[in-house]
Amino acid sequence: MRRRSLLDLDDLHGDELRALLDRARSFHEHPPSRDLLRGVCVVNLFFEASTRTFTSFAIAEERVGADVVALPPGSSSLGKGETIADTAITLAAMGVRVIVTRHPESGFPYRLAESFDGHVINAGDGRHAHPTQALLDLLTLQMEFGRIEGLRVALVGDILHSRVARSNILGLRALGADLTLVGPPTLLPAAMVREGVKIERDLDALLPAVDAVMLLRIQHERIVSAVLPSLSDYARGYRLDARRVATMQEHAIVMHPGPYNRGVELTDDVFAYRGWRYAEQVGYGVPIRMAVLDFLVNGSAA
Ligand code: NCD
């Protein structure tokens, strides 16, 4: 039987998602034993820049006692023409049990998982998926509100090119959030509407009603044609600033997966907003990744 991997959030049933969030919450409150993954070898295979995701995986792996090897971009033999399948066979032959991978190509972790006799964790593939980011976003909502079902959540900005958005859409729908996608047609085509997801072009009309706003960075590196209106048009319609946050409810929060671009999707005023939760999100990245490692390696029992 193929070992379980986490390639996107549709790999998990709703009950598993909830159990994983509970486990991460308990790891946040009471750090787990360093024996949890004692003797388990984990390789971090990143082909794309990463600050938050790479570091928090590394910290999480150390905290659960795994043996950790980091292969930075350019240092694997994939650049010498070795196939993904042969890389997988090679790493498994050394006893590597888990590969955490980030790659600019959508689908890369899926191809790796097909040939690797171990667990693959997708740390971001192209514009496709970023399941552990979505999990830590879900944990942030769960910790803030004690529930996700029925929460009114707005995902704002460059939905089309965002792997964070795509994984969050899966997770938020599975857990019953009331989700609205917000952005201009160039970054949020009407074709992205599906069951359980609404589209809104007017951010100002929606803000007073939401419990949480998730801002997204404009993914310039993934925008192939001139789809962006102009940055000043974008800012006028969608940038969060002091005036806009003042229209939000008392309890509402603002989230951002990072890296944020000051002056583009938000102004510096937002950092002073009482509901700005970026630091909390980053902090939850460690317990959520410990929980994912434990779930895959040691099994799904809560
Ligand atoms: C995101 C990513 O790399 O997908 N960042 C992250 O992992 N926290 C989002 C982005 O690059 O905009």
Side-chain angles (χ1 to χ4, degrees):
M1 196 186 86
R2 187 117 67 76
R3 287 177 214 286
R4 268 195 98 163
S5 288
L6 180 64
L7 304 174
D8 202 352
L9 286 195
D10 51 8
D11 288 334
L12 300 168
H13 306 300
D15 287 347
E16 290 175 322
L17 262 176
R18 280 182 279 272
L20 206 54
L21 295 178
D22 285 349
R23 193 177 308 199
R25 183 191 185 128
S26 82
F27 288 172
H28 173 68
E29 285 160 2
H30 311 283
S33 153
R34 289 211 178 236
D35 286 334
L36 211 53
L37 260 76
R38 171 81 52 219
V40 174
C41 186
V42 180
V43 168
N44 295 322
L45 190 61
F46 278 55
F47 297 91
E48 215 185 63
S50 173
T51 303
R52 281 148 287 263
T53 305
F54 181 84
T55 311
S56 67
F57 264 113
I59 294 172
E61 290 155 3
E62 298 283 348
R63 291 216 177 137
V64 294
D67 299 330
V68 184
V69 179
L71 264 176
S75 58
S76 84
S77 282
L78 280 162
K80 296 182 194 165
E82 184 168 68
T83 65
I84 297 175
D86 292 333
T87 300
I89 290 165
T90 305
L91 292 175
M94 285 179 235
V96 173
R97 301 257 312 270
V98 181
I99 301 176
V100 178
T101 193
R102 168 172 286 197
H103 200 282
E105 241 174 71
S106 297
F108 177 88
Y110 288 76
R111 287 191 285 141
L112 191 63
E114 275 164 22
S115 349
F116 180 57
D117 183 15
H119 313 278
V120 176
I121 302 176
N122 183 3
D125 64 324
R127 53 155 110 164
H128 175 251
H130 194 351
T132 59
Q133 176 67 43
L135 284 171
L136 74 86
D137 294 335
L138 295 172
L139 182 60
T140 305
L141 292 170
Q142 180 69 38
M143 296 291 278
E144 182 77 29
F145 298 105
R147 69 186 167 100
I148 290 172
E149 184 153 18
L151 281 184
R152 295 198 69 178
V153 180
L155 261 166
V156 182
D158 185 4
I159 315 276
L160 180 62
H161 302 97
S162 171
R163 57 195 177 201
V164 173
R166 236 169 287 275
S167 290
N168 259 305
I169 292 170
L170 291 177
L172 288 164
R173 285 178 65 209
L175 296 179
D178 179 351
L179 176 61
T180 308
L181 309 179
V182 188
T186 45
L187 300 176
L188 171 57
M192 294 191 82
V193 188
R194 55 194 59 143
E195 203 197 318
V197 179
K198 290 166 281 189
I199 279 189
E200 172 63 65
R201 305 287 179 204
D202 184 352
L203 178 62
D204 290 312
L206 187 70
L207 276 181
V210 298
D211 299 302
V213 173
M214 290 188 187
L215 298 177
L216 297 166
R217 183 175 66 89
I218 294 180
Q219 313 266 309
H220 291 288
E221 72 280 22
R222 302 193 204 293
I223 297 181
V224 279
S225 57
V227 292
L228 192 62
S230 75
L231 281 184
S232 60
D233 281 352
Y234 182 80
R236 201 167 312 118
Y238 300 101
R239 180 173 69 194
L240 210 58
D241 58 13
R243 178 187 67 77
R244 286 197 162 117
V245 291
T247 68
M248 293 173 64
Q249 301 180 73
E250 191 69 33
H251 67 268
I253 65 168
V254 177
M255 298 163 64
H256 195 306
Y260 45 75
N261 289 154
R262 293 169 185 251
V264 182
E265 68 270 19
L266 77 180
T267 61
D268 285 12
D269 305 315
V270 177
F271 305 137
Y273 174 61
R274 60 182 180 277
W276 173 239
R277 291 290 180 271
Y278 170 73
E280 285 78 0
Q281 289 174 267
V282 175
Y284 294 142
V286 174
I288 209 77
R289 289 174 173 118
M290 295 195 286
V292 167
L293 288 160
D294 181 36
F295 174 83
L296 293 178
V297 172
N298 297 324
S300 51

